[in-house]
Amino acid sequence: MAKAQEPEKVSFFSRLKQIGMVFSFTAKRDKAFVPLVVTVVLVPLIAVGVAIALGVSWIWAPLGVLLALLGTVIVLNLRSQKAMMKEAEGQPGAAASIIENMRGDWRVSPAIASTTQFDMVHLVIGRPGVILIGEGNPGRVRGLIGQERRRLVKVIGNAELRDYMVGNEEGQIPLAKLRNLLVRLPRTITAKDVNALDKRLTALSARPQMPRGALPKNMKPPKGQFKAMRGR
């Protein structure tokens, strides 16, 4: 049996470069970010400096540096997520992208239904069951969600089927709160059930669907063809 591939290791300098890119991205979009970083860096350093000036041992100096670094990491994490969420708002497919990058076993099928106006419905399978996430014009998306619910309810068995509309209007879920909403949903099925649902719905989506409406003229068999076939 072949061994599973180990995740690619990121070098120290590559990690620093990534942090620098995130720092620059956040600083350009969040005016409060740099002042907050300066504050969390200076406060512990000044406190330790005052303590040393009052006769406390120099052994506390590394603690001040560690607290400054920790504060910087926390502020960077919180403010960068907020900046990224703000940047993603209004972008087609933003909800699917956010869920795909969440921790845990979340199976995402982006835009299983859509319109030419970039309204779309994403399918999510996880421990809470089956979830439909809609983005776009509420009137058009509700129709898409209703269509997908009727299609899925026939094959998902006893799994929970939920749907949410992403947006900032009443009854909708703001994009920034979508991650927390999904994480807090009750776990109603097992990991084994998630795999089974994923295979079942993948097979359902793979089935070719006949186009609706009358057959094009060039697709219709010539007259007498059916009689010839029956006579064989």
Side-chain angles (χ1 to χ4, degrees), residues 61-81:
L63 177 62
V65 175
L66 289 176
L67 288 175
L69 289 174
L70 178 61
T72 302
V73 170
I74 292 174
V75 171
L76 177 61
N77 183 46
L78 295 176
R79 305 301 292 194
S80 63
Q81 286 188 10

Side-chain angles (χ1 to χ4, degrees), residues 37-53 60-69 72:
V37 171
V38 172
T39 301
V40 298
V41 169
L42 290 180
V43 168
L45 293 181
I46 292 175
V48 171
V50 171
I52 291 174
W60 292 99
L63 177 62
V65 175
L66 289 176
L67 288 175
L69 289 174
T72 302

Side-chain angles (χ1 to χ4, degrees), residues 140-156:
R140 294 191 293 263
V141 172
R142 288 191 190 99
L144 294 177
I145 289 177
Q147 172 185 315
E148 291 304 313
R149 285 188 69 94
R150 290 189 293 272
R151 186 174 71 96
L152 295 174
V153 74
K154 301 175 182 178
V155 294
I156 64 173

Side-chain angles (χ1 to χ4, degrees), residues 87-108:
E87 185 79 5
E89 284 187 358
Q91 299 293 328
S97 178
I98 288 172
I99 300 172
E100 285 176 333
N101 289 286
M102 287 174 54
R103 293 182 179 179
D105 189 8
W106 299 96
R107 319 285 177 91
V108 184

Side-chain angles (χ1 to χ4, degrees), residues 105 107 124-130 155-160 187-202:
D105 189 8
R107 319 285 177 91
V124 181
I125 307 171
R127 293 290 304 280
V130 180
V155 294
I156 64 173
N158 296 324
E160 290 278 352
R187 272 44 180 166
T188 57
I189 61 176
T190 65
K192 184 178 179 181
D193 294 331
V194 172
N195 290 329
L197 270 175
D198 190 15
K199 292 179 180 178
R200 198 181 309 162
L201 296 182
T202 300

